[in-house]
Structures are given as structure tokens and as C-alpha cells.
Amino acid sequence: MTELVVTLDLDGVTDKAALMDRCAEALRLPDWFGRNWDALADSLSDRTVWPQDARERGLWVVVRNWRSYAEERPEEWRVARDVLTEAADRTRDLTVLLDLGGSSK
């Protein structure tokens, strides 16, 4: 059985609130998701709030179109990246991948 792949597309995200909204949508987080860094870390580390298909199969989160957000809000991006990294490091069956994009040629 292969992992569930979820795309976290940050195209158009300009601040933390929008990032949290995208995370909640992409990861299908519950309505009570707190939309803060600790809540995101907890949600990523808690298989019971993962999408149903991922709970037994594992979860890959592919972060796309993140560069504009990283350039616009470097401190927020650093924290987001740290949260994603730490969650993946401590959570079995969670993998977070940054899509580096490719050449347009």
C-alpha cells in the first residue's frame, strides 16, 4: 500500500493566516484546528487528524509554490519550515517534500 500524497500549494499565500488556511484545507484538518504554529505541529504529528486514507498508509505532504511566500515573509517561512521538518522528523510515516520546481525551458 502506498502513502497518500497531499499537495500543499502555497501559490498566492502572503501571510501566516493564509498559510494556515491552506494547511487546513489541504490536510483536511478538523474545524477546531487552531491555525497557529503549535496546532500545525500537533496536527502533523497526530495521525488521528490526518486524512482518513493516510492513517494507515502514511502521508507525504508536497509543498509547492512556496518561494514567493518565503521571500515575502522570510521569518514566517523559517518557522513554517521548522514546524514541517520537526513534525516529519518525529512522526513515523510522515514525509514532507519541498517542490523545487523546474526550468521553464
Side-chain angles (χ1 to χ4, degrees):
M1 197 179 292
T2 61
E3 296 84 358
L4 176 68
V5 178
V6 172
T7 300
L8 176 57
D9 190 344
L10 301 186
D11 186 37
V13 169
T14 59
D15 61 17
K16 179 181 169 187
L19 172 69
M20 293 296 164
D21 288 344
R22 287 288 169 89
C23 289
E25 180 183 335
L27 297 167
R28 295 179 252 160
L29 296 175
D31 292 338
W32 48 261
F33 170 61
R35 287 177 165 69
N36 62 59
W37 299 122
D38 289 335
L40 180 59
D42 291 345
S43 295
L44 288 167
S45 300
D46 182 355
R47 297 171 79 95
T48 66
V49 298
W50 287 4
Q52 184 70 36
D53 296 348
R55 292 179 189 171
E56 290 189 26
R57 294 169 42 190
L59 178 62
W60 283 23
V61 179
V62 179
V63 184
R64 297 186 66 225
N65 299 311
W66 53 271
R67 290 178 195 254
S68 292
Y69 177 64
E71 291 170 6
E72 184 73 25
R73 302 281 187 145
E75 287 302 310
E76 284 180 16
W77 173 247
R78 183 188 55 75
V79 175
R81 192 184 64 228
D82 288 349
V83 167
L84 294 169
T85 299
E86 288 175 23
D89 284 349
R90 72 174 185 231
T91 307
R92 188 174 61 83
D93 296 330
L94 172 65
T95 301
V96 178
L97 306 164
L98 292 182
D99 180 352
L100 298 178
S103 174
S104 59
K105 297 179 182 179

